[in-house]
């Protein structure tokens, strides 16, 4: 499936719409983000009150911010939240004070190695305040007194997350999860949100085999909250994929689930290899995105992570340089295409039983060879039928057949369809 420019451009447009919003693990920025996503796909939005126990965690107070700045003695704002949501330390407590630069420095965060970039920093679970700014801005500030103001609130409220479900032929689920907690960062996390949104739109035009559940939730605490609220039904989740860093120009990277041999792991390995895209496969580590929550030992779900350049693997990561210009429509379209290819394999990967297992059945008599006449891949299709017949013992899946035979999965699945139509195999 070739990357398509049109959805790429639309996804990039969604990234640009979401980019200015100040998101965090709670608050109105998350709600505004979900309102925009809700224009593309219907969402069921959940509000979980502050203080709710979710596994070993507690839903924190809700954080909202209206304005923040540092102003010099003339009243000029030298750092202004209105210019970028990255300028404020996430979850900053309110402050209104005047102080000398020497005192203010302890609350300022910069990137000396990239003097014109603004870093992204947070303090979710420790009361603190601060500003993030370019090192070159800090270097240009003269000594003296500065007005410091952060107009924020930390109060009992809610943690907000949303779900979108594409009904399938069976109740077994594939989850697609992306985090909604980062402010103005285009690749990490907005590209993942955009790809998930358009993946849901495309799947909704079909009748997939599995039920697909899309989860839009703040990182860590959001996935933990979802798991806590769905613990009794989590056994329906048969496969899953965490999407992040989905729009940079680097090659695709798939991180295996904790199991290492889950079906989603095998499918992504096969799809990426068969497509001949440049890619890498990495082993599971309990660090990164929310795959580590879904793969925690008590749940141990078959959930992997798909990114382009992985977590912290590019200099622009968690900085103002991760802006809409850093992500490309082509890269997002390519990530979307790989998801579609992988889920097409998941949806068609079945185990069959050969109904004529003693010797090779006569395919010509059943018109199966004649049906292949004129195909450019006639020999390949014939071999696929023979492989499917030979390995249809109830133990081997079509993906097993494709991997063992070296044949394309689509060819193997088409052979299985033909053999089932001739009553030679059954699921």
């Amino acid at each position: 499936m070739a990357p398509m420019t049109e959805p790429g451009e639309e996804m990039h447009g969604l990234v640009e719409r979401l980019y200015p919003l100040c998101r965090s693990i709670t608050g109105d920025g998350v709600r505004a983000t979900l309102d925009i996503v809700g224009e593309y796909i219907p969402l069921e939005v959940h509000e979980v009150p502050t203080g709710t126990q979710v596994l070993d965690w507690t839903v924190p107070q809700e954080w909202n911010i209206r304005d923040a700045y540092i102003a010099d003695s003339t009243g000029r704002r030298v750092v202004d939240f209105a210019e970028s949501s990255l300028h404020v330390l996430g979850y900053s407590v309110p402050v209104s004070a005047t102080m000398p630069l020497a005192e203010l420095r302890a609350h300022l965060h910069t990137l000396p190695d990239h003097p014109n970039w603004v870093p992204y920093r947070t303090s979710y679970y420790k009361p603190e305040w601060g500003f993030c700014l370019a090192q070159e801005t800090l270097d240009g500030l003269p000594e003296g007194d500065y007005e410091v103001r952060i107009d924020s609130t930390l109060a009992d409220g809610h943690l907000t997350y949303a779900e979108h479900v594409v009904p399938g032929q069976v109740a077994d689920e594939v989850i697609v999860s992306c985090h909604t907690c980062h402010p103005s960062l285009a690749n990490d996390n907005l590209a993942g949100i955009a790809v998930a949104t358009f993946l849901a739109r495309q799947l909704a035009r079909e009748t997939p085999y599995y039920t697909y559940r899309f989860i839009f939730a703040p990182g860590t605490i959001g996935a933990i909250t979802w798991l806590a609220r769905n613990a009794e039904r989590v056994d329906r989740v048969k496969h899953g994929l965490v999407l992040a860093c989905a729009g940079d120009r680097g090659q695709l990277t798939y991180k295996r689930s904790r199991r290492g041999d889950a079906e989603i792991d095998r499918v992504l390995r096969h799809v990426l290899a068969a497509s001949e895209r440049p890619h890498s496969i990495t082993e599971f580590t309990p660090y990164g995105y929310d795959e580590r929550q879904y793969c925690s030992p008590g749940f141990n779900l078959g959930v992997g992570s798909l990114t382009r350049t992985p977590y912290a693997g590019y200099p622009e990561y968690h900085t103002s340089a991760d802006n809409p210009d850093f992500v490309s429509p082509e890269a997002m379209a390519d990530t979307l295409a790989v998801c579609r290819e992988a889920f097409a394999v998941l949806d068609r990967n079945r185990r069959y039983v050969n109904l004529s297992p003693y010797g090779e059945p006569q395919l010509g008599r059943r018109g199966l060879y004649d049906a292949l006449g004129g195909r450019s891949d006639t020999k390949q299709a014939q071999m696929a039928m023979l492989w499917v017949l030979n390995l249809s013992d109830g133990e081997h899946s079509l993906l097993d057949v494709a991997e063992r035979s070296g044949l394309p999965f689509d060819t193997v699945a088409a052979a299985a369809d033909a053999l089932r139509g001739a009553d030679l195999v059954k699921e």
Side-chain angles (χ1 to χ4, degrees), residues 112 151 171 266 313 377 422:
D151 181 13
R266 296 180 57 213
D377 61 343

PDB file of all heavy atoms in Angstrom, residues 112 151 171 266 313 377 422:
ATOM      1  N   PRO A 112      21.632  24.950  26.720  1.00  0.00           N
ATOM      2  CA  PRO A 112      22.864  25.625  26.290  1.00  0.00           C
ATOM      3  C   PRO A 112      23.437  25.082  24.982  1.00  0.00           C
ATOM      4  O   PRO A 112      24.045  25.828  24.210  1.00  0.00           O
ATOM      5  CB  PRO A 112      23.817  25.393  27.467  1.00  0.00           C
ATOM      6  CG  PRO A 112      22.905  25.231  28.649  1.00  0.00           C
ATOM      7  CD  PRO A 112      21.711  24.497  28.123  1.00  0.00           C
ATOM      8  N   ASP A 151      -0.365  32.737  36.036  1.00  0.00           N
ATOM      9  CA  ASP A 151      -1.789  32.731  36.392  1.00  0.00           C
ATOM     10  C   ASP A 151      -2.338  31.325  36.118  1.00  0.00           C
ATOM     11  O   ASP A 151      -2.905  31.053  35.056  1.00  0.00           O
ATOM     12  CB  ASP A 151      -2.528  33.787  35.571  1.00  0.00           C
ATOM     13  CG  ASP A 151      -4.012  33.848  35.907  1.00  0.00           C
ATOM     14  OD1 ASP A 151      -4.418  33.255  36.931  1.00  0.00           O
ATOM     15  OD2 ASP A 151      -4.772  34.471  35.137  1.00  0.00           O
ATOM     16  N   ALA A 171     -15.808  -9.627  19.158  1.00  0.00           N
ATOM     17  CA  ALA A 171     -15.631  -8.710  20.295  1.00  0.00           C
ATOM     18  C   ALA A 171     -14.172  -8.579  20.712  1.00  0.00           C
ATOM     19  O   ALA A 171     -13.828  -7.643  21.440  1.00  0.00           O
ATOM     20  CB  ALA A 171     -16.471  -9.185  21.484  1.00  0.00           C
ATOM     21  N   ARG A 266       5.120 -10.224  15.480  1.00  0.00           N
ATOM     22  CA  ARG A 266       5.418 -10.979  14.265  1.00  0.00           C
ATOM     23  C   ARG A 266       4.840 -10.281  13.039  1.00  0.00           C
ATOM     24  O   ARG A 266       5.471 -10.242  11.973  1.00  0.00           O
ATOM     25  CB  ARG A 266       4.866 -12.390  14.393  1.00  0.00           C
ATOM     26  CG  ARG A 266       5.515 -13.204  15.520  1.00  0.00           C
ATOM     27  CD  ARG A 266       4.933 -14.593  15.595  1.00  0.00           C
ATOM     28  NE  ARG A 266       5.091 -15.282  14.331  1.00  0.00           N
ATOM     29  CZ  ARG A 266       4.218 -16.172  13.851  1.00  0.00           C
ATOM     30  NH1 ARG A 266       3.125 -16.474  14.532  1.00  0.00           N
ATOM     31  NH2 ARG A 266       4.437 -16.758  12.702  1.00  0.00           N
ATOM     32  N   GLY A 313      15.365  10.039  20.488  1.00  0.00           N
ATOM     33  CA  GLY A 313      16.383   9.673  19.517  1.00  0.00           C
ATOM     34  C   GLY A 313      16.728  10.755  18.517  1.00  0.00           C
ATOM     35  O   GLY A 313      17.509  10.510  17.596  1.00  0.00           O
ATOM     36  N   ASP A 377       1.634 -14.023 -11.432  1.00  0.00           N
ATOM     37  CA  ASP A 377       2.263 -14.743 -10.320  1.00  0.00           C
ATOM     38  C   ASP A 377       1.663 -16.147 -10.185  1.00  0.00           C
ATOM     39  O   ASP A 377       1.476 -16.651  -9.078  1.00  0.00           O
ATOM     40  CB  ASP A 377       2.092 -13.969  -9.016  1.00  0.00           C
ATOM     41  CG  ASP A 377       0.616 -13.791  -8.639  1.00  0.00           C
ATOM     42  OD1 ASP A 377      -0.252 -13.975  -9.520  1.00  0.00           O
ATOM     43  OD2 ASP A 377       0.353 -13.487  -7.458  1.00  0.00           O
ATOM     44  N   ALA A 422     -13.365 -23.942  -2.250  1.00  0.00           N
ATOM     45  CA  ALA A 422     -13.451 -25.276  -2.847  1.00  0.00           C
ATOM     46  C   ALA A 422     -13.660 -26.361  -1.797  1.00  0.00           C
ATOM     47  O   ALA A 422     -13.546 -27.571  -2.107  1.00  0.00           O
ATOM     48  CB  ALA A 422     -12.170 -25.564  -3.626  1.00  0.00           C
TER      49      ALA A 422
END
